[in-house]
Amino acid sequence: QVQIVESGGGSVQPGGSLSLSCTASGFPLDLYAIGWFRQAPGKEREGVSCISRSGTYYRDSVKGRFTISSADAKNTVYLQMNNLKPEDTAVYYCALERGSCSLDYYNMEYWGTGTQVTVSS
């Protein structure tokens, strides 16, 4: 079975930074895009950022603040989050999608269990 593990969540003040990590194992990832989603209580899960061989993509609300990158092995993806805002508070999930990035919840094949990010004063 594929395994996806997220880490790096925590609690920070507005304007602070966090770096999330997603490590996938069990299956080759050469044909997959890796995306970050988030879900706040009572809200729909929404796409945040994605990386594939074709490039990187960001939700409008995080552009200029978040940066997605990958390690040499391509099975570890990082999401550097700067200038965090209270509205960024959510559980962040790493997900795998075959092909290119869509940031579409229904196109994801595998999901991690999430890591909590809390931004408050």
Side-chain angles (χ1 to χ4, degrees):
Q1 292 183 326
V2 65
Q3 291 183 311
I4 302 174
V5 180
E6 305 104 326
S7 63
S11 181
V12 298
Q13 295 181 332
S17 299
L18 286 172
S19 182
L20 305 182
S21 298
C22 170
T23 300
S25 62
F27 291 93
L29 299 178
D30 294 355
L31 301 178
Y32 286 84
I34 301 179
W36 285 98
F37 289 72
R38 66 187 182 187
Q39 187 169 25
K43 295 186 177 181
E44 298 285 341
R45 191 170 299 187
E46 62 183 20
V48 177
S49 183
C50 183
I51 186 169
S52 73
R53 292 181 177 180
S54 300
T56 58
Y57 303 88
Y58 299 92
R59 185 180 187 86
D60 286 344
S61 61
V62 308
K63 288 180 178 178
R65 300 188 298 119
F66 292 9
T67 302
I68 192 169
S69 62
S70 63
D72 290 341
K74 304 296 183 182
N75 67 335
T76 299
V77 171
Y78 307 95
L79 184 67
Q80 182 181 348
M81 305 184 295
N82 298 324
N83 192 24
L84 285 161
K85 303 176 180 180
E87 52 263 43
D88 295 318
T89 296
V91 176
Y92 283 69
Y93 299 89
C94 183
L96 275 60
E97 172 184 20
R98 186 180 294 274
S100 301
C101 291
S102 71
L103 286 180
D104 187 333
Y105 174 89
Y106 297 101
N107 289 340
M108 304 300 115
E109 294 188 29
Y110 307 101
W111 291 89
T113 57
T115 183
Q116 177 71 48
V117 171
T118 302
V119 185
S120 66
S121 58

